[in-house]
Amino acid sequence: MAIGSEFQEQVRQLGKLITQFDQMPDGPPRTACKELVQLLMDVHGAGLDRIMEIVFESDGPGPAIIDKLGNDTVTSSLLLLYSLHPQDLETRVQQSVDRMRPRLRKLSCSVELAGIIEGAVQVRVTAGGHSCGSSSKDIRTIVEECVFELAPDIVSLEVLGLEEPSNSGFVALESLIGHSVVAPAHNARSLTTEGAD
């Protein structure tokens, strides 16, 4: 199994465990578990934040390394989890739309980003006259895979222009960590911005 696939499987398993945890009755054990997870998140987040600062401030291609980390499947997800990703949500969603265009073009479909409002994404798909027998479900799967790969922190995804309702097994990133991660990454982005001055 590839590293990226293994990591995504671990994220799915984490989602299942968090769902089970949320179903536990309130009480001291659940409170202690929540505090433990939050403390681990805080410690890891502070450590990753410092790593990003050191990489950026080092002599050499610091900003290029940060961009590379932001484009890697595994490290990108980790940076998103701690709100350290160098690219904002809109940029990543637009990149995902650009990446899916060639695949949808082969199915005689065009795609465009219709809008993003507070993390809720709308993508419009327009099918041509010859859809090569592809179903709305196949097209929706392509759209969801591409968007969730680069922007797992979106709140929701609505695919306009398709009739069939979504039946995705997607677990929103914020449900895994208990708080919204929709805001643009402040630290890595501010490092890049400051370095440009």
Side-chain angles (χ1 to χ4, degrees), residues 7 11 24 26 38 59 63 72 87 162 173 180 188-189 195:
F7 181 79
V11 169
M24 288 176 57
D26 284 332
Q38 187 59 56
D59 292 334
D72 180 83
Q87 296 172 333
L162 299 179
L173 184 62
S180 176
R189 186 171 252 326

Side-chain angles (χ1 to χ4, degrees), residues 6-188:
E6 185 177 352
F7 181 79
Q8 294 304 325
E9 181 55 38
Q10 290 171 336
V11 169
R12 280 190 284 275
Q13 183 62 26
L14 182 59
K16 290 178 187 175
L17 291 172
I18 287 176
T19 300
Q20 292 174 7
F21 175 77
D22 285 341
Q23 295 169 350
M24 288 176 57
D26 284 332
R30 183 177 181 195
T31 301
C33 284
K34 284 183 88 169
E35 289 177 2
L36 172 63
V37 170
Q38 187 59 56
L39 185 58
L40 282 171
M41 291 288 293
D42 292 345
V43 169
H44 290 168
L48 283 171
D49 188 16
R50 184 62 186 136
I51 288 170
M52 296 292 278
E53 288 176 1
I54 291 170
V55 169
F56 183 81
E57 293 168 357
S58 66
D59 292 334
I65 292 171
I66 289 174
D67 286 341
K68 191 169 182 179
L69 291 170
N71 289 321
D72 180 83
T73 305
V74 174
T75 56
S76 174
S77 298
L78 193 60
L79 294 176
L80 284 169
L81 191 62
Y82 292 96
S83 300
L84 293 170
H85 200 284
Q87 296 172 333
D88 63 18
L89 180 67
E90 185 171 353
T91 300
R92 288 181 282 110
V93 171
Q94 186 60 60
Q95 285 178 347
S96 72
V97 170
D98 293 341
R99 284 190 187 182
M100 74 179 77
R101 277 198 179 105
R103 291 178 66 186
L104 292 179
R105 195 175 299 126
K106 290 179 182 176
L107 302 175
S108 298
C109 295
S110 62
V111 62
E112 65 179 345
L113 176 59
I116 303 176
I117 301 173
E118 296 182 356
V121 175
Q122 289 184 323
V123 174
R124 183 177 309 283
V125 175
T126 305
H130 307 286
S131 60
C132 302
S134 57
S135 69
S136 294
K137 182 179 179 183
D138 295 333
I139 295 168
R140 183 181 303 279
T141 298
I142 291 170
V143 172
E144 289 177 346
E145 284 176 356
C146 289
V147 172
F148 293 141
E149 180 182 359
L150 294 183
D153 50 332
I154 64 173
V155 173
S156 64
L157 172 61
E158 183 179 4
V159 183
L160 307 173
L162 299 179
E163 297 78 25
E164 296 177 15
S166 175
N167 192 17
S168 171
F170 170 72
V171 178
L173 184 62
E174 66 183 71
S175 72
L176 297 179
I177 60 176
H179 65 275
S180 176
V181 290
V182 172
H186 52 88
N187 296 335

